[in-house]
Amino acid sequence: MIDQPIKSTLAKSKPSNLVRNLQEKLIEFLLFLAASSSVAITIGIIYILISESVSFFQEVSLVEFLTGTEWTPLFADAKYGIWALLAGTIVTTAVALFVAIPIGTISAVYLSEFAPEKLREIVKPCLEILAGIPSVVYGYFALLFVTPLLQRFLSDLPSFNMLSPGLVTGIMIIPFISSISEDSMRAVPASLREGSYAMGATRLQTAWSVVLPASLSGISAAYILGISRAVGITMIVAIAGGLQPNFTWNPMESAATIATFIVSVSLGDLPHGTIEYQSIFAAGITLFVITLITNIIGHFISKRYREIY
Amino acid sequence: MKSESAKDVHKLIAWAKLWQAGFIILGVLSLLVGIVTLVALLADMFIKGGPLISWRFFTSFPSRNAEEAGILSAWVGSLLVMFVTALAAIPLGIASGIYLEEYARKNWIADLIEINVANLAGVPSIIYGLLALGLFVYAFHLGDTVLTAGLTLAILVLPVVIVTTREAIRAVPSSIREASYALGSSKWQTIRSHVLPYGMGGILTGVIVALSRAIGETAPLITIGALTFIAFLPDSPVQSQFPYISFAWLMSPFTVLPIQMFNWVSRPQPEFQLNAAAAGVVLVGMTLLVNGLAIYLRYQFRKGIKW
């Protein structure tokens, strides 16, 4: 008697089960499509960069591109030597890392090993805000605040130089380096620290000889990801570094980086299909390869040397 | 003899403590570098640009006269571009995050997608500009329009949305999923009515952080050829005549706040640099507001949820 309504409900639910399963499969498929869109983006980037620079490399030999130190696309005798741009990129990145690595690491050690919880709660959001300020604002700051400030001490510093945007880029990536390093230091188990304290070490000795070596993989990954971040910084150098390609290793001179070259060409009207148009893709693929390699090395180091506790 | 070595030990301890005190000072100083810079930057900009900010500044177009120039077309453009970016990046990013966290089996496809997302997050923004230039502007013939800019920024911030969505729904304990399955829900029903609502705080934070990053992006938009002098507004999306809604604004040329600021800062005249400072104040104000909202939301959701 009683099971009659149950049976009928069961019977009714059968077709709806089928619908439900179909619906489930459809949703899973749609979600899968969404997830594969990120792969499509990567393929798109690689395809566009390669297809546009292939015609560039038909006119400019790869050897000249990779070894030349002059970049003069607008001259009658146009020269495309990537080192003119690469030198600027390396110099600004080096200046940035010179600032960001020591300050970022010391901040991370201090925040992870010494700072009271209250201070951490205040400082961390401040650092996040520092990382969230648009790069064009940092560019303004480099050109109109830091450069005049530096000129007081270095009287022969031109108003466009690589030192000031490099310093500002360094400050911009401090939060990036310190937060990754700090995460990896905090992942070091307390038992290691306690062992060290039990041997009579101070907090500093523990931080220096126990925590730092134990979190070395995370810290070096932070440095390498910091490099890839600094290499791609565009607007700060575009505003404060001048846009003229200049093969120099002196941070006191003005120069262009790979990224700022792309910006300076895009600022003008550039006809599709010309060699100037293709040259920004050739520069872009160089930048892409550099960041890809540093990212892969960073990934590899953090996996390979990760201590398992 | 004994007291001598005890003295040595004391000396050693004193030195170690001194070093430690020195390091603590160094640590505080390092933290201050960032914070002092932040304060100097904000103060410098507010002092120079603050007095310029007025109703007129928000309601005038850019002009050749620095005193008459305003940011009307810039903030309207930023708003429209953000709208397109949000519409494209949020559903796509959340859907990808759900798939990777809840559905993906542990196989090479899932690994590939995962490594790929991590790599995309590290690609410099200017490369996305080149992608957009080659793909949207020339292959799809979308031109340097609001639509192109919105899609470009959407692609740029997609990894951020995906990663934070994954983190947010990973934090939902599996007991909640199991309870839902036990009541006969399907996988999607469980996700829709349990996992997503509980993870919403984290997802929302990620979306906001992503959008705040997109507001400030300049380089990829310059690459697609965004004009820097726009003294008109795109068509209004709401029309007075049938069919009342127009999509013409999608295909309109545009400028955004960071590009307007870049334009002003790269002019040699000091009056325009004051305008740049004022635009910077508005831009920083917007990002701080948005970031502050994200931090507040995260705090609220963390406080409210007790598993």
Side-chain angles (χ1 to χ4, degrees):
Chain A
M1 269 296 129
I2 292 171
D3 67 0
Q4 196 58 33
I6 295 178
K7 252 185 191 163
S8 72
T9 340
L10 277 178
K12 260 188 221 155
S13 76
K14 262 211 172 130
S16 78
N17 246 345
L18 187 73
V19 171
R20 187 170 115 159
N21 286 344
L22 268 177
Q23 199 187 345
E24 288 287 312
K25 286 273 168 246
L26 182 72
I27 285 170
E28 181 173 349
F29 181 68
L30 287 178
L31 293 176
F32 172 73
L33 278 189
S36 10
S37 67
S38 72
V39 179
I41 291 170
T42 305
I43 295 173
I45 291 175
I46 295 172
Y47 171 77
I48 292 280
L49 288 179
I50 290 181
S51 68
E52 295 285 355
S53 37
V54 157
S55 23
F56 175 83
F57 285 117
Q58 279 165 357
E59 305 217 5
V60 179
S61 80
L62 196 61
V63 177
E64 187 203 324
F65 182 77
L66 289 179
T67 58
T69 56
E70 272 182 274
W71 187 278
T72 53
L74 298 176
F75 287 14
D77 173 31
K79 287 210 170 82
Y80 296 94
I82 193 69
W83 279 98
L85 302 176
L86 213 49
T89 311
I90 292 171
V91 170
T92 45
T93 306
V95 174
L97 293 178
F98 190 73
V99 173
I101 284 187
I103 296 181
T105 314
I106 292 173
S107 303
V109 174
Y110 179 75
L111 280 178
S112 139
E113 304 298 313
F114 293 93
E117 199 58 32
K118 273 264 180 324
L119 185 70
R120 277 172 45 84
E121 275 173 25
I122 300 169
V123 168
K124 288 214 84 169
C126 279
L127 288 179
E128 271 176 51
I129 286 173
L130 196 66
I133 285 182
S135 58
V136 64
V137 174
Y138 279 110
Y140 162 91
F141 184 66
L143 178 68
L144 298 174
F145 188 89
V146 176
T147 301
L149 194 71
L150 289 174
Q151 277 170 334
R152 283 195 201 168
F153 306 104
L154 309 161
S155 50
D156 52 347
L157 190 73
S159 48
F160 291 116
N161 59 76
M162 290 187 283
L163 185 62
S164 148
L167 292 176
V168 174
T169 305
I171 289 171
M172 190 182 175
I173 61 174
I174 288 175
F176 187 74
I177 288 185
S178 79
S179 78
I180 299 180
S181 314
E182 195 206 333
D183 285 347
S184 72
M185 285 182 211
R186 287 175 80 83
V188 174
S191 58
L192 284 187
R193 289 191 187 87
E194 281 153 11
S196 168
Y197 294 145
M199 302 298 286
T202 61
R203 279 179 163 232
L204 178 63
Q205 286 165 336
T206 306
W208 182 254
S209 2
V210 176
V211 179
L212 268 185
S215 54
L216 201 60
S217 71
I219 295 174
S220 29
Y223 294 167
I224 287 168
L225 295 176
I227 294 178
S228 103
R229 182 62 58 109
V231 162
I233 290 285
T234 313
M235 293 318 293
I236 302 178
V237 194
I239 291 172
L243 292 168
Q244 285 307 314
N246 180 7
F247 180 69
T248 174
W249 300 105
N250 180 2
M252 310 267 284
E253 286 183 44
S254 92
T257 67
I258 299 178
T260 63
F261 165 72
I262 298 173
V263 163
S264 70
V265 171
S266 313
L267 282 174
D269 201 17
L270 81 164
H272 183 215
T274 57
I275 187 135
E276 288 85 48
Y277 173 82
Q278 290 153 356
S279 73
I280 62 175
F281 287 90
I285 204 167
T286 317
L287 186 61
F288 183 72
V289 169
I290 293 173
T291 50
L292 193 67
I293 290 173
T294 44
N295 282 335
I296 289 171
I297 294 176
H299 191 75
F300 173 77
I301 288 182
S302 69
K303 277 244 156 102
R304 170 73 178 73
Y305 294 105
R306 182 172 295 156
E307 308 270 343
I308 313 258
Y309 302 107
Chain B
M1 195 70 197
K2 210 175 181 187
S3 67
E4 195 75 349
S5 78
K7 231 182 201 172
D8 279 353
V9 168
H10 278 295
K11 216 172 171 184
L12 220 63
I13 292 174
W15 269 112
K17 282 191 171 165
L18 199 66
W19 272 106
Q20 176 159 318
F23 181 82
I24 289 178
I25 294 171
L26 199 66
V28 173
L29 285 181
S30 317
L31 285 181
L32 280 178
V33 169
I35 290 163
V36 163
T37 313
L38 189 67
V39 171
L41 186 157
L42 296 180
D44 179 58
M45 244 173 23
F46 271 99
I47 290 167
K48 286 180 186 155
L52 263 85
I53 293 179
S54 62
W55 181 247
R56 190 203 54 74
F57 189 66
F58 284 97
T59 53
S60 325
F61 287 110
S63 154
R64 298 195 194 287
N65 294 329
E67 305 84 56
E68 291 170 16
I71 53 167
L72 178 61
S73 49
W75 71 258
V76 172
S78 273
L79 221 62
L80 293 176
V81 170
M82 274 318 107
F83 183 67
V84 176
T85 302
L87 227 54
I90 294 174
L92 203 58
I94 294 180
S96 313
I98 294 173
Y99 181 81
L100 290 176
E101 204 53 42
E102 299 283 324
Y103 285 91
R105 291 159 197 89
K106 274 280 142 219
N107 58 15
W108 65 273
I109 300 180
D111 279 348
L112 179 77
I113 296 179
E114 193 157 352
I115 293 171
N116 184 53
V117 170
N119 259 324
L120 276 184
V123 171
S125 60
I126 189 117
I127 301 288
Y128 288 98
L130 290 178
L131 168 71
L133 179 67
L135 198 67
F136 298 140
V137 178
Y138 288 113
F140 296 166
H141 300 289
L142 294 176
D144 47 354
T145 56
V146 172
L147 182 63
T148 308
L151 293 179
T152 309
L153 295 183
I155 291 178
L156 178 70
V157 299
L158 193 62
V160 182
V161 181
I162 295 177
V163 169
T164 42
T165 301
R166 292 190 62 176
E167 278 169 8
I169 56 185
R170 197 181 303 148
V172 177
S174 52
S175 56
I176 287 188
R177 293 184 186 81
E178 280 150 17
S180 169
Y181 290 139
L183 292 173
S185 322
S186 68
K187 191 159 195 165
W188 174 243
Q189 284 167 333
T190 303
I191 292 171
R192 198 191 55 200
S193 39
H194 296 277
V195 177
L196 276 185
Y198 291 128
M200 203 35 92
I203 296 176
L204 220 56
T205 314
V207 164
I208 292 172
V209 168
L211 286 183
S212 90
R213 193 178 154 200
I215 290 177
E217 271 303 336
T218 325
L221 298 185
I222 293 178
T223 313
I224 61 173
L227 286 174
T228 45
F229 192 84
I230 298 274
F232 55 85
L233 289 183
D235 272 5
S236 163
V238 185
Q239 301 282 324
S240 57
Q241 281 157 356
F242 187 79
Y244 304 112
I245 290 176
S246 151
F247 290 104
W249 58 273
L250 276 175
M251 300 312 278
S252 163
F254 69 100
T255 188
V256 290
L257 261 176
I259 290 188
Q260 186 62 62
M261 183 178 172
F262 173 64
N263 182 21
W264 279 333
V265 85
S266 45
R267 292 194 193 194
Q269 303 95 320
E271 309 88 71
F272 277 111
Q273 293 174 348
L274 291 185
N275 278 347
V281 170
V282 177
L283 191 58
V284 169
M286 271 164 79
T287 43
L288 286 193
L289 209 69
V290 169
N291 271 313
L293 184 69
I295 292 172
Y296 173 76
L297 277 178
R298 190 167 52 193
Y299 179 70
Q300 282 298 316
F301 274 96
R302 256 190 210 161
K303 209 172 56 175
I305 295 177
K306 290 197 177 64
W307 305 117

